[in-house]
Amino acid sequence: MTVTYTKSASKVLSRLQPKLAARIMDKIEQFAADPRSQANNVKALAGSPYIRLRVGDWRVIMDDQGNVLLVLEIGSRGDIYK
C-alpha cells in the first residue's frame, strides 16, 4: 500500500520533534504494510468515511482507498476533531 500525505499533514510532521514525527510515520507505515498490526489503534470515525490511527496523544486521520493510504490530518487528541 502506498502512503500519501496531504500538505497540511506534512507541515505538522515537519514542525514536530524528530523523534515524535518518526514514531508517527513508523506507525503509519506499519498500518500500510499490515492493517491488522495496528488493529487496536485504528477506528472508523462516526459519520465520516475516514479512519483514525492513535499514536500516544496524537491522532492521524486517514482515508484508506484500497492500495493508497491518504494521510489527511495529524494533530493532538484534543484538537484534531474540531
Side-chain angles (χ1 to χ4, degrees):
M1 186 179 310
T2 306
V3 178
T4 307
Y5 294 88
T6 61
K7 189 175 180 180
S8 62
S10 296
K11 186 183 263 189
V12 170
L13 280 174
S14 68
R15 291 180 178 169
L16 291 176
Q17 295 175 355
K19 271 188 165 180
L20 180 58
R23 181 174 166 216
I24 291 172
M25 290 190 313
D26 184 48
K27 292 291 184 179
I28 293 169
E29 292 293 331
Q30 284 179 14
F31 178 76
D34 182 17
R36 291 176 293 179
S37 69
Q38 297 297 318
N40 292 338
N41 296 323
V42 175
K43 187 175 187 181
L45 292 176
S48 174
Y50 305 127
I51 55 176
R52 181 258 307 162
L53 172 66
R54 185 173 51 122
V55 183
D57 287 341
W58 290 83
R59 303 296 183 261
V60 180
I61 307 298
M62 304 180 294
D63 187 8
D64 189 1
Q65 304 172 343
N67 49 346
V68 175
L69 182 65
L70 179 62
V71 178
L72 301 168
E73 290 289 328
I74 299 172
S76 65
R77 68 184 182 133
D79 298 330
I80 193 73
Y81 302 112
K82 293 181 184 177

